[in-house]
Amino acid sequence: MSIYELLTQFGDKYLAALLTTWKLTAISFTLAFVIGIVITIMRISPIKPIRFVGDLYVQIFRNIPGAALLIILVYAFPYLNFVWSYYACVLIATSLLPASFCSEYLMAGMNTIGAGQIEAARSIGMTFFQTIKNVVLPQALRSSVLPMTNLLVATMLTTALASQVPLKPTDLTGIVSYINTRTVGGVTAFMISAFLYCATAVIIGQIGSLIDRKVRILR
Amino acid sequence: MEQSQKTFEILEEAPVIELRDVNKYFGSLHVLQDINLSVKKGEVVVIIGPSGSGKSTLCRTINRLESIDSGEIIIDGVSMPDEGKKLAEIRSQVGMVFQSFNLFAHKTILDNVTIGPIDVLHKSRKEAQAEAMELLKRVGVESQASKVPAQLSGGQQQRVAIARSLAMHPKAILFDEPTSALDPEMIGEVLNVMTELAQDGMTMVVVTHEMNFARRVASRVIFMDGGKILEEGTPDEFFAHPKTQRAKDFLESIKRHES
C-alpha cells in the first residue's frame, strides 16, 4: 500500500495512536520527574539508610530492560494478587525507569553547584530542606534542561512498550501491527509511525533548547 | 544596688562567642588543639598565621561548618548542638563571609540578601526588600540589585555577601579570608566596608593576611600555628613585641615579602 492509501484508510487511527503516545509520554515523564526529584533528595539526605534506598532505586531501575519490567508487571504480579490494568502496567514501567535517569541527571546538575553555596545557605541558618528548596534544586533543574529534554524523548520511545499489550486506542508502534495484521502495510506503515516519532522529538528538542537558553545560570 | 550593678557587669561581660577546649582532627592530623577563645560584644578579633595553621578551620568551626571532636562552642550563652533545627537556628545568629563569596548563582543580588530574612526569619517580602536595599546602599552596590552574581566584580560580590550576612542581624560575623580571592584594587573596597562595620560595633572574627587591617582595626590579634593558639594580644603588643619565635619568624617573612 502506498502512503496515500494508508493515510486515507488509517489516518484517523494514526492520529489516535499519536495522541496515545503523547498522553503516555506526558504522564510518564511527569511521574518520572516527580519520582526522580524525591529519589534525588533521598540520595543526598544526611541519613545513611535513606541515601541507600535512593541509590538502590537508581541501580535497580536503571538496569532493568523496559520489556522485562512490563512482563513482570503484567504476568508475575497477578500471582502476588496485584492486578493492574494494561494501561497502568505500561505507565508504571515507563515512569519508574526514566525516574532513575532523571535522578542521575539531577545529581549531575547538582555537581555544578559549588559546595560553598551550600555552606553559605547553612550559615544563613537554612535547614536541609530549605537549602534543597532554595539553592540546590532550582540550580540543578536549571542546569539539567538539556538532559531532561533527552530524557523526555527517551521516555516517548520507551512508551513503545505499550504496543506489547492490548490498548485501545493503541500507540504509534502498536498501530503498525494493527495495520499489518489487517492488510499489507509493509514497511511504509512503519515509516509513518517513525516520522511521527521523529517530528515529536524534533519539537521537544526545540522547546528544550528554548527553555535552556532562558533559564541557564550565568557563572 | 551594688548587687544589681555587679549582675549588670557580668551580663555585659558575657562573651558572644566562646570556645572551650575545642579539638578537631582531620584523620590523624590534629588540626585544632585545645582551643580556648572568647570574643566579647563589639570586639574585632583578627586571626593570623601561616597557611595550614588551622586558622580557617577555627573560623569555620565557630558556626559548625566543621564538626568538632571534643569541646564546646557557646554562642551568646547557648551551647551549639551537633546537628538539627537548633543548630540551624544558632547558625542564623552568626554571619559568615567566605573567601569565594558563595553568592547564590541563580538569584539576583536583591534575592541573595532577602532569602535569609524571608525564609529563615519569616519576614514579609516587602520588609525584607526594603531592608536589603538599605544594606546594599550601605555597602555601595544598590545599583546592582537586579543583576545576578556573575555580572558583578569580585569586590562587589563580596560586599553583597557582607550585606547578606547583615540582613540576618547577626550577633557576630565570621570572615574567612574575605579578600584572598580578590584583585588588589578590590581589596580596599571590601576592607573599607569591614572597617566601617567594626566602627559601628559589630562583633567580628576575621581570618586574614591583611596585616594593615589587623593593625588598624583589630581589638585583639590571635596568632595560630600547628593548630594551636600561640599568642594573643593587642595589635600594638603583637606586632611590636611578638613573644614566640614562631610569630617573630612569621612577621619577619611577611616584612621581607612586603618590602
mmCIF file of all heavy atoms in Angstrom, chain A residues 122-154:
data_model
loop_
_atom_site.group_PDB
_atom_site.id
_atom_site.type_symbol
_atom_site.label_atom_id
_atom_site.label_comp_id
_atom_site.label_asym_id
_atom_site.label_seq_id
_atom_site.Cartn_x
_atom_site.Cartn_y
_atom_site.Cartn_z
ATOM 1 N N ARG A 122 23.696 27.136 54.652
ATOM 2 C CA ARG A 122 23.670 26.618 56.021
ATOM 3 C C ARG A 122 24.056 27.710 57.013
ATOM 4 O O ARG A 122 23.478 27.804 58.097
ATOM 5 C CB ARG A 122 24.621 25.432 56.146
ATOM 6 C CG ARG A 122 24.097 24.168 55.490
ATOM 7 C CD ARG A 122 25.190 23.171 55.241
ATOM 8 N NE ARG A 122 25.694 22.578 56.473
ATOM 9 C CZ ARG A 122 26.868 21.964 56.570
ATOM 10 N NH1 ARG A 122 27.656 21.887 55.518
ATOM 11 N NH2 ARG A 122 27.252 21.449 57.697
ATOM 12 N N SER A 123 25.011 28.548 56.635
ATOM 13 C CA SER A 123 25.458 29.568 57.590
ATOM 14 C C SER A 123 24.418 30.674 57.759
ATOM 15 O O SER A 123 24.445 31.408 58.738
ATOM 16 C CB SER A 123 26.818 30.142 57.178
ATOM 17 O OG SER A 123 26.679 30.990 56.071
ATOM 18 N N ILE A 124 23.492 30.786 56.806
ATOM 19 C CA ILE A 124 22.383 31.736 56.994
ATOM 20 C C ILE A 124 21.363 31.148 57.972
ATOM 21 O O ILE A 124 20.536 31.856 58.524
ATOM 22 C CB ILE A 124 21.722 32.052 55.629
ATOM 23 C CG1 ILE A 124 22.624 32.970 54.815
ATOM 24 C CG2 ILE A 124 20.364 32.717 55.799
ATOM 25 C CD1 ILE A 124 22.125 33.230 53.423
ATOM 26 N N GLY A 125 21.461 29.841 58.193
ATOM 27 C CA GLY A 125 20.543 29.187 59.124
ATOM 28 C C GLY A 125 19.491 28.344 58.434
ATOM 29 O O GLY A 125 18.518 27.926 59.045
ATOM 30 N N MET A 126 19.689 28.092 57.130
ATOM 31 C CA MET A 126 18.715 27.255 56.425
ATOM 32 C C MET A 126 18.859 25.807 56.878
ATOM 33 O O MET A 126 19.959 25.314 57.078
ATOM 34 C CB MET A 126 18.943 27.340 54.917
ATOM 35 C CG MET A 126 18.492 28.633 54.302
ATOM 36 S SD MET A 126 18.586 28.537 52.511
ATOM 37 C CE MET A 126 18.569 30.276 52.096
ATOM 38 N N THR A 127 17.720 25.134 56.985
ATOM 39 C CA THR A 127 17.734 23.701 57.303
ATOM 40 C C THR A 127 18.026 22.928 56.016
ATOM 41 O O THR A 127 18.115 23.520 54.931
ATOM 42 C CB THR A 127 16.365 23.256 57.839
ATOM 43 O OG1 THR A 127 15.388 23.536 56.821
ATOM 44 C CG2 THR A 127 15.986 24.004 59.099
ATOM 45 N N PHE A 128 18.151 21.608 56.136
ATOM 46 C CA PHE A 128 18.413 20.763 54.969
ATOM 47 C C PHE A 128 17.383 21.016 53.866
ATOM 48 O O PHE A 128 17.728 21.273 52.718
ATOM 49 C CB PHE A 128 18.403 19.281 55.397
ATOM 50 C CG PHE A 128 18.477 18.314 54.255
ATOM 51 C CD1 PHE A 128 19.664 18.116 53.570
ATOM 52 C CD2 PHE A 128 17.355 17.597 53.867
ATOM 53 C CE1 PHE A 128 19.736 17.218 52.515
ATOM 54 C CE2 PHE A 128 17.418 16.697 52.811
ATOM 55 C CZ PHE A 128 18.607 16.512 52.145
ATOM 56 N N PHE A 129 16.095 20.989 54.223
ATOM 57 C CA PHE A 129 15.060 21.129 53.204
ATOM 58 C C PHE A 129 15.001 22.543 52.627
ATOM 59 O O PHE A 129 14.737 22.725 51.445
ATOM 60 C CB PHE A 129 13.692 20.698 53.750
ATOM 61 C CG PHE A 129 13.529 19.206 53.759
ATOM 62 C CD1 PHE A 129 13.542 18.495 54.953
ATOM 63 C CD2 PHE A 129 13.405 18.504 52.573
ATOM 64 C CE1 PHE A 129 13.419 17.115 54.958
ATOM 65 C CE2 PHE A 129 13.283 17.124 52.564
ATOM 66 C CZ PHE A 129 13.288 16.425 53.754
ATOM 67 N N GLN A 130 15.279 23.543 53.476
ATOM 68 C CA GLN A 130 15.315 24.915 52.948
ATOM 69 C C GLN A 130 16.465 25.081 51.961
ATOM 70 O O GLN A 130 16.316 25.757 50.937
ATOM 71 C CB GLN A 130 15.470 25.913 54.105
ATOM 72 C CG GLN A 130 14.178 26.130 54.874
ATOM 73 C CD GLN A 130 14.382 27.017 56.091
ATOM 74 O OE1 GLN A 130 15.416 26.951 56.757
ATOM 75 N NE2 GLN A 130 13.404 27.833 56.404
ATOM 76 N N THR A 131 17.605 24.460 52.274
ATOM 77 C CA THR A 131 18.755 24.531 51.368
ATOM 78 C C THR A 131 18.433 23.847 50.046
ATOM 79 O O THR A 131 18.729 24.365 48.966
ATOM 80 C CB THR A 131 19.987 23.863 52.010
ATOM 81 O OG1 THR A 131 20.203 24.448 53.291
ATOM 82 C CG2 THR A 131 21.224 24.055 51.161
ATOM 83 N N ILE A 132 17.775 22.687 50.120
ATOM 84 C CA ILE A 132 17.382 21.973 48.905
ATOM 85 C C ILE A 132 16.435 22.835 48.077
ATOM 86 O O ILE A 132 16.614 23.032 46.885
ATOM 87 C CB ILE A 132 16.650 20.655 49.268
ATOM 88 C CG1 ILE A 132 17.581 19.721 50.034
ATOM 89 C CG2 ILE A 132 16.094 19.980 48.022
ATOM 90 C CD1 ILE A 132 18.673 19.130 49.226
ATOM 91 N N LYS A 133 15.433 23.387 48.759
ATOM 92 C CA LYS A 133 14.378 24.134 48.072
ATOM 93 C C LYS A 133 14.901 25.439 47.458
ATOM 94 O O LYS A 133 14.555 25.785 46.339
ATOM 95 C CB LYS A 133 13.255 24.446 49.077
ATOM 96 C CG LYS A 133 12.074 25.189 48.471
ATOM 97 C CD LYS A 133 11.120 25.677 49.552
ATOM 98 C CE LYS A 133 11.639 26.962 50.125
ATOM 99 N NZ LYS A 133 10.789 27.729 50.981
ATOM 100 N N ASN A 134 15.750 26.151 48.206
ATOM 101 C CA ASN A 134 16.170 27.478 47.755
ATOM 102 C C ASN A 134 17.413 27.483 46.885
ATOM 103 O O ASN A 134 17.567 28.344 46.028
ATOM 104 C CB ASN A 134 16.451 28.382 48.960
ATOM 105 C CG ASN A 134 15.210 28.682 49.761
ATOM 106 O OD1 ASN A 134 14.153 28.918 49.192
ATOM 107 N ND2 ASN A 134 15.336 28.664 51.068
ATOM 108 N N VAL A 135 18.301 26.548 47.123
ATOM 109 C CA VAL A 135 19.615 26.633 46.477
ATOM 110 C C VAL A 135 19.896 25.449 45.551
ATOM 111 O O VAL A 135 20.271 25.628 44.398
ATOM 112 C CB VAL A 135 20.732 26.738 47.542
ATOM 113 C CG1 VAL A 135 22.098 26.852 46.884
ATOM 114 C CG2 VAL A 135 20.475 27.931 48.458
ATOM 115 N N VAL A 136 19.666 24.237 46.057
ATOM 116 C CA VAL A 136 20.131 23.058 45.323
ATOM 117 C C VAL A 136 19.220 22.710 44.150
ATOM 118 O O VAL A 136 19.656 22.670 42.997
ATOM 119 C CB VAL A 136 20.277 21.853 46.281
ATOM 120 C CG1 VAL A 136 20.715 20.624 45.510
ATOM 121 C CG2 VAL A 136 21.291 22.178 47.371
ATOM 122 N N LEU A 137 17.930 22.489 44.428
ATOM 123 C CA LEU A 137 17.027 22.050 43.355
ATOM 124 C C LEU A 137 16.875 23.069 42.229
ATOM 125 O O LEU A 137 16.976 22.702 41.061
ATOM 126 C CB LEU A 137 15.658 21.688 43.926
ATOM 127 C CG LEU A 137 15.387 20.204 44.154
ATOM 128 C CD1 LEU A 137 13.925 19.995 44.493
ATOM 129 C CD2 LEU A 137 15.766 19.356 42.951
ATOM 130 N N PRO A 138 16.648 24.345 42.553
ATOM 131 C CA PRO A 138 16.482 25.296 41.445
ATOM 132 C C PRO A 138 17.677 25.303 40.500
ATOM 133 O O PRO A 138 17.504 25.332 39.279
ATOM 134 C CB PRO A 138 16.358 26.658 42.155
ATOM 135 C CG PRO A 138 15.991 26.363 43.546
ATOM 136 C CD PRO A 138 16.501 25.001 43.870
ATOM 137 N N GLN A 139 18.884 25.236 41.070
ATOM 138 C CA GLN A 139 20.066 25.267 40.202
ATOM 139 C C GLN A 139 20.246 23.950 39.463
ATOM 140 O O GLN A 139 20.627 23.939 38.288
ATOM 141 C CB GLN A 139 21.313 25.593 41.020
ATOM 142 C CG GLN A 139 21.262 26.996 41.594
ATOM 143 C CD GLN A 139 22.606 27.464 42.098
ATOM 144 O OE1 GLN A 139 23.586 27.466 41.375
ATOM 145 N NE2 GLN A 139 22.665 27.856 43.361
ATOM 146 N N ALA A 140 19.970 22.838 40.151
ATOM 147 C CA ALA A 140 20.109 21.531 39.492
ATOM 148 C C ALA A 140 19.121 21.429 38.329
ATOM 149 O O ALA A 140 19.467 20.967 37.249
ATOM 150 C CB ALA A 140 19.878 20.405 40.493
ATOM 151 N N LEU A 141 17.896 21.905 38.542
ATOM 152 C CA LEU A 141 16.882 21.839 37.490
ATOM 153 C C LEU A 141 17.263 22.726 36.311
ATOM 154 O O LEU A 141 17.171 22.313 35.157
ATOM 155 C CB LEU A 141 15.514 22.261 38.042
ATOM 156 C CG LEU A 141 14.851 21.265 38.980
ATOM 157 C CD1 LEU A 141 13.595 21.866 39.610
ATOM 158 C CD2 LEU A 141 14.495 19.986 38.233
ATOM 159 N N ARG A 142 17.710 23.934 36.633
ATOM 160 C CA ARG A 142 18.014 24.869 35.556
ATOM 161 C C ARG A 142 19.228 24.451 34.749
ATOM 162 O O ARG A 142 19.348 24.816 33.584
ATOM 163 C CB ARG A 142 18.188 26.279 36.128
ATOM 164 C CG ARG A 142 16.847 26.885 36.530
ATOM 165 C CD ARG A 142 17.000 28.162 37.307
ATOM 166 N NE ARG A 142 17.616 29.217 36.515
ATOM 167 C CZ ARG A 142 17.668 30.487 36.907
ATOM 168 N NH1 ARG A 142 17.135 30.836 38.062
ATOM 169 N NH2 ARG A 142 18.243 31.387 36.157
ATOM 170 N N SER A 143 20.140 23.703 35.370
ATOM 171 C CA SER A 143 21.304 23.294 34.584
ATOM 172 C C SER A 143 21.133 21.895 33.991
ATOM 173 O O SER A 143 22.067 21.360 33.414
ATOM 174 C CB SER A 143 22.578 23.385 35.434
ATOM 175 O OG SER A 143 22.428 22.613 36.595
ATOM 176 N N SER A 144 19.946 21.291 34.152
ATOM 177 C CA SER A 144 19.761 19.967 33.538
ATOM 178 C C SER A 144 18.616 19.962 32.529
ATOM 179 O O SER A 144 18.029 18.917 32.262
ATOM 180 C CB SER A 144 19.550 18.905 34.620
ATOM 181 O OG SER A 144 18.439 19.226 35.410
ATOM 182 N N VAL A 145 18.317 21.121 31.956
ATOM 183 C CA VAL A 145 17.214 21.186 30.987
ATOM 184 C C VAL A 145 17.501 20.328 29.754
ATOM 185 O O VAL A 145 16.632 19.584 29.287
ATOM 186 C CB VAL A 145 16.938 22.648 30.570
ATOM 187 C CG1 VAL A 145 15.933 22.696 29.423
ATOM 188 C CG2 VAL A 145 16.409 23.442 31.755
ATOM 189 N N LEU A 146 18.727 20.417 29.232
ATOM 190 C CA LEU A 146 19.033 19.660 28.015
ATOM 191 C C LEU A 146 18.999 18.148 28.247
ATOM 192 O O LEU A 146 18.367 17.421 27.479
ATOM 193 C CB LEU A 146 20.371 20.116 27.420
ATOM 194 C CG LEU A 146 20.322 21.527 26.796
ATOM 195 C CD1 LEU A 146 21.664 21.896 26.194
ATOM 196 C CD2 LEU A 146 19.212 21.652 25.771
ATOM 197 N N PRO A 147 19.647 17.631 29.303
ATOM 198 C CA PRO A 147 19.500 16.197 29.580
ATOM 199 C C PRO A 147 18.049 15.788 29.806
ATOM 200 O O PRO A 147 17.622 14.720 29.375
ATOM 201 C CB PRO A 147 20.313 15.981 30.860
ATOM 202 C CG PRO A 147 21.180 17.154 31.015
ATOM 203 C CD PRO A 147 20.638 18.262 30.180
ATOM 204 N N MET A 148 17.272 16.663 30.449
ATOM 205 C CA MET A 148 15.860 16.348 30.680
ATOM 206 C C MET A 148 15.095 16.287 29.361
ATOM 207 O O MET A 148 14.162 15.498 29.200
ATOM 208 C CB MET A 148 15.201 17.396 31.588
ATOM 209 C CG MET A 148 15.654 17.335 33.027
ATOM 210 S SD MET A 148 15.341 15.740 33.788
ATOM 211 C CE MET A 148 16.175 15.987 35.346
ATOM 212 N N THR A 149 15.489 17.147 28.406
ATOM 213 C CA THR A 149 14.878 17.108 27.081
ATOM 214 C C THR A 149 15.137 15.749 26.429
ATOM 215 O O THR A 149 14.232 15.118 25.878
ATOM 216 C CB THR A 149 15.465 18.233 26.198
ATOM 217 O OG1 THR A 149 15.372 19.460 26.916
ATOM 218 C CG2 THR A 149 14.722 18.342 24.900
ATOM 219 N N ASN A 150 16.384 15.310 26.539
ATOM 220 C CA ASN A 150 16.715 13.986 26.006
ATOM 221 C C ASN A 150 15.911 12.900 26.702
ATOM 222 O O ASN A 150 15.459 11.946 26.078
ATOM 223 C CB ASN A 150 18.213 13.694 26.198
ATOM 224 C CG ASN A 150 19.055 14.567 25.294
ATOM 225 O OD1 ASN A 150 18.563 15.050 24.268
ATOM 226 N ND2 ASN A 150 20.290 14.787 25.679
ATOM 227 N N LEU A 151 15.750 13.074 28.012
ATOM 228 C CA LEU A 151 15.008 12.073 28.781
ATOM 229 C C LEU A 151 13.549 12.017 28.328
ATOM 230 O O LEU A 151 12.955 10.943 28.238
ATOM 231 C CB LEU A 151 15.082 12.389 30.282
ATOM 232 C CG LEU A 151 14.391 11.381 31.190
ATOM 233 C CD1 LEU A 151 15.067 10.020 31.084
ATOM 234 C CD2 LEU A 151 14.403 11.855 32.640
ATOM 235 N N LEU A 152 12.998 13.194 28.010
ATOM 236 C CA LEU A 152 11.605 13.231 27.545
ATOM 237 C C LEU A 152 11.475 12.455 26.231
ATOM 238 O O LEU A 152 10.538 11.669 26.044
ATOM 239 C CB LEU A 152 11.164 14.693 27.383
ATOM 240 C CG LEU A 152 9.742 14.960 26.895
ATOM 241 C CD1 LEU A 152 8.711 14.198 27.715
ATOM 242 C CD2 LEU A 152 9.439 16.450 26.943
ATOM 243 N N VAL A 153 12.435 12.639 25.332
ATOM 244 C CA VAL A 153 12.422 11.897 24.070
ATOM 245 C C VAL A 153 12.571 10.402 24.343
ATOM 246 O O VAL A 153 11.830 9.572 23.802
ATOM 247 C CB VAL A 153 13.549 12.394 23.127
ATOM 248 C CG1 VAL A 153 13.652 11.501 21.900
ATOM 249 C CG2 VAL A 153 13.297 13.838 22.722
ATOM 250 N N ALA A 154 13.527 10.070 25.228
ATOM 251 C CA ALA A 154 13.745 8.652 25.552
ATOM 252 C C ALA A 154 12.495 8.044 26.174
ATOM 253 O O ALA A 154 12.148 6.891 25.896
ATOM 254 C CB ALA A 154 14.931 8.518 26.501
#
